[in-house]
Amino acid sequence: MVTIKNDEEIALMRESCRIAKETLDFVGKHICAGMTTKEVDELVYKYITSCGATPSELGYEGYPASSCVSVNEVVVHGIPDDRVILDGDIVSVDIVAEKNGYHGDCARTYLIGNVSEEKKKLVKVTEECFFKACEGLKAGVPLFDIGYAVQTHAEANGYSVVRALTGHGIGRSMHEDPSVPNYGKRGTGMRLKAGMTICIEPMINMGTYKVTVDRRDGWTVKTADGKPAAHYENTVLILEDGVEILTL
């Protein structure tokens, strides 16, 4: 069921979204080659809890960490561990903060040290896909216009769009209706309504759109061909005349 937030609920979401955004700013200042992905997760936990908030991912359906830290070929849901981040890696960090019963969700892909031009372009285009999706977005726009915009920009640059995972609604629950695919036919899908809060999160691959899930941990999603992937996400409030990006 799609939920429409009132002014009071939106104010509470702005707070959790601010904390989520500031957490990734904090990570961005400290993440570097030589760190383990577990040490990145410790930064996330430290910052979120220092704000009086809770890392929503910790314990979610048994997930063992406060963030998803995904390196190179890992698309999303990388479990933080002893993997050392190397010079030239790209690392996406996806976090959710909960405060006062509402969640804020965002992700960034960081360039570590001397990153190849190929990877730099992938990260840049993935971020651009998000902002393309927000162009002209407002109440009354069909839902799949979001995915159409993401897919069109990604494929125009020679990349593919992950089909197996989508964005989502967000509010009192970390994942709410509707699903928000990164592909689709323009002019189709439910009409967006003012007061909806959704997570738009392009997951873009350098090679095939196909992915695999690690059978050992049940979480880690990798590109099927081992080529790099990038991820960029924000929580977005739909308005009558546009959008408010709550995690920026």
Side-chain angles (χ1 to χ4, degrees):
M1 183 180 71
V2 173
T3 61
I4 304 300
K5 280 72 177 182
N6 60 34
D7 289 346
E8 181 181 352
E9 291 174 306
I10 291 167
L12 293 172
M13 286 200 67
R14 285 195 183 101
E15 174 69 2
S16 56
C17 287
R18 178 188 63 79
I19 292 168
K21 183 263 186 190
E22 289 180 354
T23 301
L24 288 186
D25 289 346
F26 180 71
V27 169
K29 291 175 183 176
H30 293 87
I31 191 170
C32 62
M35 294 180 72
T36 65
T37 56
K38 187 175 182 179
E39 287 172 328
V40 174
D41 187 63
E42 289 167 355
L43 291 176
V44 171
Y45 180 83
K46 177 181 177 181
Y47 195 91
I48 290 177
T49 55
S50 75
C51 298
T54 301
S56 309
E57 293 172 11
L58 184 59
Y60 176 77
E61 295 187 356
Y63 188 76
S66 299
S67 60
C68 299
V69 186
S70 305
V71 183
N72 294 332
E73 77 286 354
V74 180
V75 183
V76 287
H77 303 165
I79 298 176
D81 57 16
D82 293 327
R83 179 171 181 169
V84 176
I85 297 169
L86 303 176
D87 183 76
D89 283 344
I90 57 173
V91 183
S92 76
V93 181
D94 184 359
I95 66 116
V96 188
E98 181 271 319
K99 191 170 184 181
N100 299 318
Y102 288 86
H103 301 263
D105 187 356
C106 51
R108 305 285 183 266
T109 299
Y110 301 101
L111 307 174
I112 309 299
N114 299 298
V115 176
S116 69
E117 292 303 316
E118 260 192 329
K119 286 182 178 178
K120 284 181 182 176
K121 182 183 176 185
L122 173 66
V123 173
K124 178 175 179 286
V125 169
T126 301
E127 183 174 335
E128 289 171 353
C129 284
F130 169 83
F131 289 101
K132 290 286 185 183
C134 289
E135 289 179 6
L137 201 59
K138 61 182 179 179
V141 170
L143 175 67
F144 294 154
D145 281 18
I146 294 171
Y148 175 84
V150 171
Q151 182 179 15
T152 300
H153 190 64
E155 293 180 353
N157 282 277
Y159 302 130
S160 65
V161 173
V162 173
R163 266 57 161 190
L165 300 150
T166 70
H168 52 90
I170 188 169
R172 282 193 172 275
S173 297
M174 181 163 53
H175 295 122
E176 297 183 352
D177 291 332
S179 294
V180 184
N182 290 306
Y183 61 94
K185 183 179 178 182
R186 185 162 58 181
T188 63
M190 66 169 289
R191 299 279 171 170
L192 299 173
K193 297 180 180 180
M196 287 176 63
T197 46
I198 59 175
C199 291
I200 300 173
E201 49 177 316
M203 291 163 272
I204 308 300
N205 295 350
M206 192 175 286
T208 179
Y209 71 86
K210 295 180 180 179
V211 297
T212 62
V213 179
D214 191 312
R215 291 182 180 179
R216 293 167 299 177
D217 63 36
W219 285 100
T220 307
V221 179
K222 298 180 180 181
T223 57
D225 56 10
K227 292 184 178 180
H231 182 205
Y232 185 86
E233 175 182 17
N234 284 301
T235 300
V236 175
L237 168 66
I238 304 298
L239 305 171
E240 290 290 355
D241 58 353
V243 297
E244 181 182 344
I245 303 171
L246 299 177
T247 44
L248 282 183

